[in-house]
Amino acid sequence: MRNPLSKQIVTIEPSGIRKFFDIANEMQDVISLGVGEPDFDTPWHVRDEGIYSLEKGRTFYTSNSGLMSLRLEIAKYLKRRFDLEYDPINEIIITVGGSEAIDIAMRAMLDPGDEVLIPQPSYVSYEPCCVLAGGKPVIIELQAKNDFRLTKEELEAAITPKTKILVLPYPNNPTGAVMERSDLEAVAQVVTEHDLFVLSDEIYAELTYVEGKEHVSIASLPGMKERTIVINGFSKSHAMTGWRLGYACGPKAIIEQMLKIHQYAIMCAPTNSQYAAVDALKNGDGDVALMREQYNARRRYMLHRFSEMGLQCFEPYGAFYVFPCIQEFGMSSDEFATKLLYAKKVAVVPGTAFGSSGEGFIRISYAYSLDNLKKALARVEEYVKELRILKGKGD
């Protein structure tokens, strides 16, 4: 019988995040800190709007690009929050989560053999989406000594004549790193000099914690709007993961081609989710601010506890993850996470799930209640103490 599988597909590894999540689901009394999903319920007024849309029979397809009312609200929101200006008719498309936006952007822009620069550690979808689009991933290994920011020098060293797209994954999953305006200006200079395009994943844009310094989009810098596709959505900022709603903004010529793929593969994003999102943007700024405040309190608690444990962890200023270093124990990230899961019933994600440069680190999400975080970190502290005792005996 002929092999029914694509050779390309079988080379792609399944998500390292889901591996530990699935194991944890089969165990009793596990505290899972592995999945990047807000523990907050979607705000009631947003849910109510989604329910109302169903009650009113708004269950038909929307425009392929999405509800015009939603695109208008997105344009207002981006201008209000990040000084970005997009035409809601031609420069915004509503997608099934930010993940679809990443996928169709790469498929619309890449020819076979085009190179995509992917800083890692970073979200697990960029590399496989590049491969599926016929591109060639080129990994830039970010350094802990630089707080996992992308430097101008690292970017320049990775560029070849075949380079076409730079993925800019900030605020970063898994590290929590952010890029400030000065960092982005240096990157923008290189991008312009080498005539590159940027895929800027800003799904965590609302979750930044630098006092007095809100998120800056590279698309807001001079000359960068026409070179950038901005990816965003509602999952992280508005606690709407299950609603599956994201969007992409960019030059008309690129959005038009993304729309064609979206038309054939998806048709349109869920209708009731779109109506709910209109309300989220109109009336949800207070919800976002409240969640951000609580995440920040959890972030500070996590860093305090790691300091008490003597576990090295740079301070993350974005998203809702910490990325502590576990190199002192002489284990791989996968081994550390596996033994922690079985010994103490705490699920975390090995840093290598986000690229080989994540070796020696683990990702812990603080998108969980403070009570769960306290219980989980008490178990982590026990585990760390036991490892240090064993290491001392071995020495």
Side-chain angles (χ1 to χ4, degrees), residues 168-376:
L168 202 60
Y170 293 95
N172 183 269
N173 169 16
T175 65
V178 298
M179 295 278 280
E180 296 186 12
R181 181 177 293 274
S182 58
D183 303 313
L184 294 172
E185 287 172 343
V187 167
Q189 180 184 349
V190 178
V191 166
T192 303
E193 288 174 356
H194 292 272
D195 193 21
L196 306 181
F197 297 92
V198 177
L199 184 65
S200 185
D201 185 352
E202 303 181 23
I203 195 75
Y204 294 99
E206 285 285 7
L207 302 180
T208 60
Y209 315 103
V210 181
E211 186 68 31
K213 293 184 179 180
E214 294 186 333
H215 171 76
V216 177
S217 172
I218 195 169
S220 69
L221 301 183
M224 288 305 299
K225 179 183 173 183
E226 57 266 36
R227 293 184 175 276
T228 305
I229 295 292
V230 173
I231 308 294
N232 209 324
F234 299 86
S235 293
K236 314 301 182 180
S237 56
H238 293 80
M240 294 178 67
T241 51
W243 298 77
R244 303 314 305 133
L245 203 67
Y247 55 91
C249 309
K252 176 183 176 181
I254 301 175
I255 295 295
E256 283 179 343
Q257 302 311 309
M258 292 173 63
L259 180 60
K260 286 197 298 190
I261 304 168
H262 179 73
Q263 285 173 337
Y264 290 121
I266 299 296
M267 181 64 75
C268 67
T271 301
N272 69 310
S273 298
Q274 294 189 54
Y275 280 107
V278 171
D279 186 78
L281 292 177
K282 282 184 175 180
N283 305 307
D285 284 3
D287 304 316
V288 174
L290 178 62
M291 287 187 278
R292 180 170 54 242
E293 182 180 337
Q294 294 195 35
Y295 286 137
N296 195 22
R298 298 174 191 179
R299 180 186 71 95
R300 293 195 301 265
Y301 171 75
M302 299 289 280
L303 293 173
H304 171 70
R305 288 293 285 118
F306 288 139
S307 177
E308 287 185 331
M309 293 180 208
L311 200 60
Q312 182 182 347
C313 183
F314 90 102
E315 183 167 3
Y317 286 109
F320 40 54
Y321 308 104
V322 286
F323 206 57
C325 177
I326 49 91
Q327 293 172 3
E328 66 172 285
F329 304 110
M331 296 181 183
S332 70
S333 296
D334 192 273
E335 183 183 6
F336 183 96
T338 301
K339 290 184 175 180
L340 174 63
L341 177 57
Y342 285 102
K344 300 298 178 181
K345 294 189 176 181
V346 176
V348 300
V349 182
T352 46
F354 308 94
S356 59
S357 58
E359 184 60 89
F361 299 84
I362 55 171
R363 188 193 79 172
I364 300 178
S365 169
Y366 51 87
Y368 297 90
S369 71
L370 193 57
D371 184 53
N372 268 353
L373 293 177
K374 288 178 178 179
K375 290 176 183 177

Side-chain angles (χ1 to χ4, degrees), residues 2-19:
R2 181 184 300 180
N3 183 359
L5 302 177
S6 159
K7 293 178 182 178
Q8 187 180 60
I9 293 297
V10 297
T11 64
I12 296 175
E13 294 290 331
S15 169
I17 302 174
R18 287 291 161 179
K19 170 187 171 183

Side-chain angles (χ1 to χ4, degrees), residues 4 23-24 52 59 89 111 120 152 178 199 205:
I23 295 172
Y52 180 73
T59 56
I89 298 175
D111 287 316
Q120 288 184 348
K152 176 181 179 179
V178 298
L199 184 65

